Amino acid sequence: MDESKRQRYEKISIELTKLVGGKDNIQGVAHCATRLRIVLKNNDIADLKAIEEVDLAKGVFVAGDQVQIIFGAGLVNDVYEVFAEHNNMKNMSLSDLKTVANQKMNPIQRIIKALSDVFVDIMPGILAAALLTGLSGVLGNFEFVKANETLYGINRLINISSGAIFGFLPLAVAYSACKRFGGRPILGIVIGCIMLSNSLADAYAAAQGTVEVTVLHIFGLGVKLVGFQGGIIVALLMGFVTAKLDKFFEKKVPEVIRLLISPLLTTLVGALLLFTIIGPVGRGLSSGITNTLVWMTQNLGVAGYAVFSGLQQLVVITGLHHIFGAIEAQLLADTGRNFINPLMSVAIIAQGGAVLGYLIMHRDNAKTKELCIPSFISVLFGITEPALFGINLRYRFPIIGGCIGGALGGVMVYLTNLAALGFGTTVVPGIALADPVNNGYVNYIIAHAVAIAGGFIMTLVLGKFMDKTPVATTEVPKQPEIPKVLETPEKEEFFGYAEGQMIAMEDVNDETFKNKILGDGVAVIPSAGKVYAPADGRIISIFDTKHAICFASNYGTEILIHIGVDTVNLQGKYFTPHVNTGDVVKKGQLLITFDKEQIQKAGYDTVIPMMFTDFPAEKKLEVSAPGEMTVNTTTVVVYKS
């Protein structure tokens, strides 16, 4: 990266280090595709609100005991490089960071965190499918769309696109789970392909008895050749198992044949486990959950309705909710009315209410808006995966609030005897399916209003006790005692920090300094290789490369003294610090010495800018005119406005 960018990232690193509680509070740091991930010893002293305002940061949140700062794809790599170097943690990997974070979590938290991690990576695909499905459902209800050849064709393509994404969701889950648990992602894809192979009978058709299922006999076990469409639990289990098998065979197989034999054994053993143990167990677990919920609605009256609609979205997490289509079809054939559809619909909108509740609680967080708004829109069209996996399940208490709201909506469905005359769409487009008998359309709206309000209110209530996002604080880590000043003076002076010729920042031969990207100030062309304290104060930090030092006066005014241009490339060569981070220093005290001649011979400019990096709006900066600089020369005066 060029020097101007690096210097900007250095300023970000300095500020972030201070805002998270200093170097001593950082346990580990790594990054993913878009986020800088930091594990802290104590999250409570991190100022999250202030971090949101850091240059280039697009948002910050705490997930799984990691402080995650969103910078965006590409940019996060460069910020991480400088931040990790600044905190001497550059060789830490994302898996190392997860290990550190997991040490602070209980087993249940680890399971939820792992589940969240799996779905976060594939969230863009889920969101695309959700919006396409909703759009297709709405367009399909308009007669002019059905009557127009072009519009009908476009809607069919939209429907095919969304169906394809959801149809291959188990493959994506197997891939992401394998990656999350340390295996090679391509092997997760391979297992996902096996799960959805067209050589197997379609799972939905098999459940309805419309296809013939082949049975193999392996080790005395009857193995049905049925695909795993909708088998999210199976895909999660297989992703985990595939990762463990991959790591096991990579260690055990001799290196000379590892490239060929290790993936072969992982795939073969994984496939055998899929069809003989994990597949049947996963199907049994999912079917048990589904059948229990249906039994409750049929045998427990209002309580059964409430439990079904309260817990139905937990079934969506398993991916087995697609099985309800066959049950709904049978209900319509037997009774002409489908009570499951409105129960699922209120369960869905209640999770949307939970999303809105979380959004209100964290409305100042840019990342929260990015997640919540599109997730809620998809909920309106009956798709909750983005809301569930992107927000509610990740932060725990919203999923509970949504389930309670769903239960309340289920009570209303029971009391109004609400049912549908079809199946396949819910929430906004689902109103077209409501049985109009006994004010069915009005009751549909009322039930949904109760559910969304319940999810919204319960999320706010639970958030008061369960939201673990640290409250923003201005508290800073304990530093060596500094003389306390009761009142900021009207005028604060900063003196010469090096001997030589003082010049204006605009005259520095570097775009970053010249354009005051890191802050306004003054610069000096040094006549000797020494840097002194410009005022009484303390050392905030010294860069590991020793070419820059951060200083704060006793009145809290912060500065950055940067020795040379591009001198970070010297990696500390020719620089000798004479103070340490946290030291209290006096005006004129020697801070750093450097070999001016050797640095110049290496081809670097030795100009030394001094910048005011965190300058408050209520103060005014007055820079002295260019001229000779000594340790007694007044270089900058800070006035109260």
Side-chain angles (χ1 to χ4, degrees):
M1 73 183 74
D2 62 51
E3 182 64 11
S4 62
K5 286 185 178 180
R6 184 178 186 90
Q7 289 170 348
R8 188 176 186 182
Y9 302 151
E10 285 173 353
K11 181 183 179 183
I12 292 172
S13 299
I14 294 166
E15 191 172 1
L16 279 181
T17 301
K18 181 182 72 171
L19 293 175
V20 298
K23 289 186 178 182
D24 291 342
N25 194 41
I26 300 175
Q27 283 189 306
V29 58
H31 72 92
C32 58
T34 60
R35 287 160 285 164
L36 182 67
R37 300 176 177 223
I38 309 172
V39 174
L40 304 178
K41 295 176 183 177
N42 183 358
N43 286 345
D44 292 336
I45 63 176
D47 190 344
L48 297 186
K49 290 293 183 184
I51 291 174
E52 290 180 356
E53 303 303 321
V54 169
D55 184 27
L56 299 178
K58 298 178 176 67
V60 60
F61 59 96
V62 177
D65 266 345
Q66 293 179 14
V67 174
Q68 301 189 13
I69 306 165
I70 302 95
F71 284 101
L75 174 61
V76 70
N77 301 64
D78 293 338
V79 173
Y80 161 76
E81 181 181 342
V82 178
F83 182 82
E85 182 180 278
H86 179 63
N87 289 283
N88 200 27
M89 293 183 176
K90 195 169 182 179
N91 294 322
M92 177 168 276
S93 67
L94 188 57
S95 60
D96 293 333
L97 186 68
K98 287 174 179 174
T99 300
V100 172
N102 287 345
Q103 291 171 355
K104 301 172 67 178
M105 302 165 68
N106 61 47
I108 294 177
Q109 288 175 321
R110 292 179 188 177
I111 293 172
I112 293 176
K113 174 64 170 61
L115 183 63
S116 176
D117 285 345
V118 169
F119 284 94
V120 164
D121 280 351
I122 58 177
M123 186 55 58
I126 295 176
L127 185 57
L131 295 176
L132 288 171
T133 300
L135 179 61
S136 175
V138 171
L139 292 175
N141 287 324
F142 293 116
E143 288 299 325
F144 71 85
V145 173
K146 298 176 183 177
N148 185 283
E149 234 178 36
T150 299
L151 293 178
Y152 176 79
I154 292 174
N155 194 39
R156 281 282 292 150
L157 291 177
I158 293 173
N159 184 265
I160 291 170
S161 300
S162 63
I165 298 172
F166 277 122
F168 285 92
L169 188 57
L171 185 153
V173 170
Y175 152 80
S176 188
C178 184
K179 177 182 176 182
R180 165 62 180 83
F181 293 108
R184 284 175 286 185
I186 185 62
L187 295 179
I189 292 177
V190 169
I191 288 295
C193 290
I194 294 172
M195 291 176 62
L196 302 176
S197 171
N198 57 12
S199 297
L200 305 173
D202 181 87
Y204 303 130
Q208 296 174 3
T210 58
V211 296
E212 183 178 346
V213 177
T214 302
V215 179
L216 301 179
H217 297 280
I218 301 175
F219 302 125
L221 298 173
V223 177
K224 295 181 179 181
L225 297 184
V226 178
F228 294 89
Q229 289 79 11
I232 306 303
I233 281 183
V234 177
L236 282 168
L237 294 173
M238 283 308 304
F240 174 81
V241 169
T242 301
K244 299 303 178 183
L245 289 173
D246 184 31
K247 291 196 286 188
F248 174 79
F249 288 123
E250 280 291 292
K251 289 182 180 179
K252 299 300 182 181
V253 175
E255 186 174 356
V256 66
I257 57 172
R258 184 179 299 157
L259 180 63
L260 295 175
I261 302 301
S262 174
L264 182 151
L265 292 175
T266 297
T267 304
L268 176 61
V269 175
L272 288 173
L273 291 174
L274 169 64
F275 288 104
T276 58
I277 299 176
I278 295 175
V281 168
R283 278 196 177 116
L285 178 62
S286 302
S287 297
I289 295 171
T290 300
N291 293 335
T292 299
L293 289 174
V294 173
W295 179 87
M296 286 180 180
T297 64
Q298 295 174 337
N299 295 275
L300 300 180
V302 66
Y305 272 62
V307 171
F308 183 97
S309 57
L311 301 181
Q312 188 270 341
Q313 282 298 291
L314 300 184
V315 179
V316 174
I317 297 172
T318 72
L320 265 289
H321 57 296
H322 296 293
I323 294 176
F324 286 126
I327 300 171
E328 291 179 273
Q330 190 63 50
L331 276 175
L332 286 169
D334 293 342
T335 68
R337 300 178 85 242
N338 172 15
F339 69 90
I340 291 180
N341 179 271
L343 286 178
M344 291 194 299
S345 191
V346 294
I348 289 169
I349 196 63
Q351 294 299 326
V355 169
L356 291 180
Y358 188 82
L359 175 61
I360 290 297
M361 294 181 66
H362 300 275
R363 53 188 174 275
D364 295 329
N365 188 317
K367 181 60 178 179
T368 297
K369 293 178 183 177
E370 290 178 15
L371 285 172
C372 290
I373 293 173
S375 295
F376 178 73
I377 291 173
S378 70
V379 165
L380 294 178
F381 296 108
I383 307 300
T384 53
E385 281 85 350
L388 288 175
F389 299 117
I391 299 140
N392 296 358
L393 185 63
R394 179 189 297 180
Y395 300 111
R396 296 187 281 280
F397 69 91
I399 189 79
I400 300 173
C403 287
I404 295 173
L408 295 174
V411 171
M412 292 304 301
V413 171
Y414 178 83
L415 293 177
T416 58
N417 194 27
L418 184 62
L421 299 178
F423 68 98
T425 58
T426 51
V427 195
V428 173
I431 193 171
L433 302 180
D435 188 348
V437 175
N438 298 323
N439 297 315
Y441 294 131
V442 174
N443 291 333
Y444 187 93
I445 294 172
I446 292 173
H448 284 70
V450 169
I452 192 172
F456 177 81
I457 294 170
M458 290 309 303
T459 298
L460 292 179
V461 172
L462 292 171
K464 296 290 185 182
F465 309 98
M466 300 176 65
D467 191 357
K468 300 301 182 182
T469 302
V471 178
T473 175
T474 56
E475 181 182 354
V476 296
K478 290 184 178 179
Q479 298 286 352
E481 187 175 354
I482 299 170
K484 295 182 179 179
V485 176
L486 297 177
E487 185 179 354
T488 302
E490 295 295 326
K491 181 177 74 171
E492 184 181 3
E493 290 186 88
F494 288 83
F495 295 88
Y497 55 92
E499 296 179 343
Q501 182 66 32
M502 182 169 52
I503 62 174
M505 287 289 287
E506 292 84 354
D507 294 331
V508 176
N509 189 25
D510 179 83
E511 291 300 318
T512 299
F513 298 132
K514 180 183 297 184
N515 295 318
K516 303 178 182 179
I517 292 174
L518 301 178
D520 199 357
V522 68
V524 62
I525 300 173
S527 58
K530 294 181 180 180
V531 173
Y532 305 93
D536 295 345
R538 77 179 189 280
I539 305 302
I540 297 176
S541 65
I542 300 175
F543 278 55
D544 291 335
T545 46
K546 306 171 188 176
H547 74 293
I549 188 166
C550 299
F551 171 88
S553 74
N554 285 346
Y555 303 106
T557 304
E558 298 181 9
I559 62 171
L560 169 66
I561 300 175
H562 196 286
I563 305 172
V565 176
D566 292 339
T567 48
V568 65
N569 299 325
L570 293 172
Q571 294 296 307
K573 191 177 181 181
Y574 307 130
F575 296 94
T576 305
H578 296 275
V579 290
N580 298 308
T581 298
D583 283 358
V584 176
V585 297
K586 295 292 185 181
K587 168 188 161 303
Q589 182 174 335
L590 183 64
L591 303 181
I592 295 178
T593 55
F594 58 97
D595 193 327
K596 177 173 169 288
E597 287 72 25
Q598 291 297 326
I599 293 173
Q600 288 175 328
K601 285 181 181 178
Y604 295 96
D605 188 341
T606 56
V607 66
I608 310 175
M610 180 178 76
M611 296 147 288
F612 289 75
T613 56
D614 190 20
F615 202 68
E618 66 271 13
K619 292 184 179 181
K620 178 183 177 183
L621 197 70
E622 184 177 285
V623 179
S624 299
E628 190 68 21
M629 180 188 287
T630 69
V631 292
N632 294 314
T633 303
T634 298
T635 58
V636 177
V637 180
V638 176
Y639 292 97
K640 275 188 176 181
S641 296

